[in-house]
Amino acid sequence: MNASIQSWMERAAAIGGVLACGARLADRSFVAGSSREDYPEAQVLQALRDLSEVAYALQQNRIAAEHLRWTFENGQIRCLTQPGGVMAALLVSREIADSPEIEQLFADFALAVS
């Protein structure tokens, strides 16, 4: 994992309300981190793989899917997809799902992988 992605994940983990984060990189590898015991890293990695497959299926069916969002009772999964199968995902509490900090994290990720 390159330093810019590592830095992005550290910044994400430092924001209160970010429960877990991860990315699919250009080399098709996955990285994940979690700040909560109830979201173990292995579970977050599997979720990233599944989300990556969903994004790919949407793109294959000509459905534009740069931003994806799933809302749950206690939070949201937010994803940003980029060309080449690169993807960032954040599991966040509902209170911060639409916050400027989250939007900035996605903007920073897009710059880091461009």
Side-chain angles (χ1 to χ4, degrees):
M1 169 175 36
N2 68 34
S4 60
I5 299 300
Q6 179 66 37
S7 174
W8 179 82
M9 289 183 62
E10 289 170 2
R11 283 188 319 236
I15 296 174
V18 172
L19 310 173
C21 64
R24 181 179 190 262
L25 307 176
D27 65 1
R28 299 184 181 175
S29 65
F30 292 88
V31 294
S34 175
S35 57
R36 303 262 313 248
E37 287 182 16
D38 46 342
Y39 300 107
E41 188 174 309
Q43 191 176 27
V44 174
L45 282 169
Q46 184 57 51
L48 283 169
R49 288 182 188 97
D50 294 342
L51 292 168
S52 176
E53 289 178 20
V54 168
Y56 179 76
L58 290 169
Q59 291 168 351
Q60 291 302 302
N61 287 289
R62 293 177 174 72
I63 298 172
E66 184 176 341
H67 294 275
L68 302 170
R69 182 185 304 223
W70 286 269
T71 302
F72 301 95
E73 184 176 338
N74 297 320
Q76 288 187 0
I77 296 175
R78 299 221 20 218
C79 297
L80 172 69
T81 61
Q82 298 287 283
V86 174
M87 180 182 75
L90 297 168
L91 175 59
V92 297
S93 67
R94 293 183 102 184
E95 295 78 25
I96 69 155
D98 295 315
S99 71
E101 292 89 0
I102 298 304
E103 298 305 323
Q104 186 61 52
L105 276 174
F106 282 125
D108 293 346
F109 181 85
L111 286 174
V113 297
S114 62

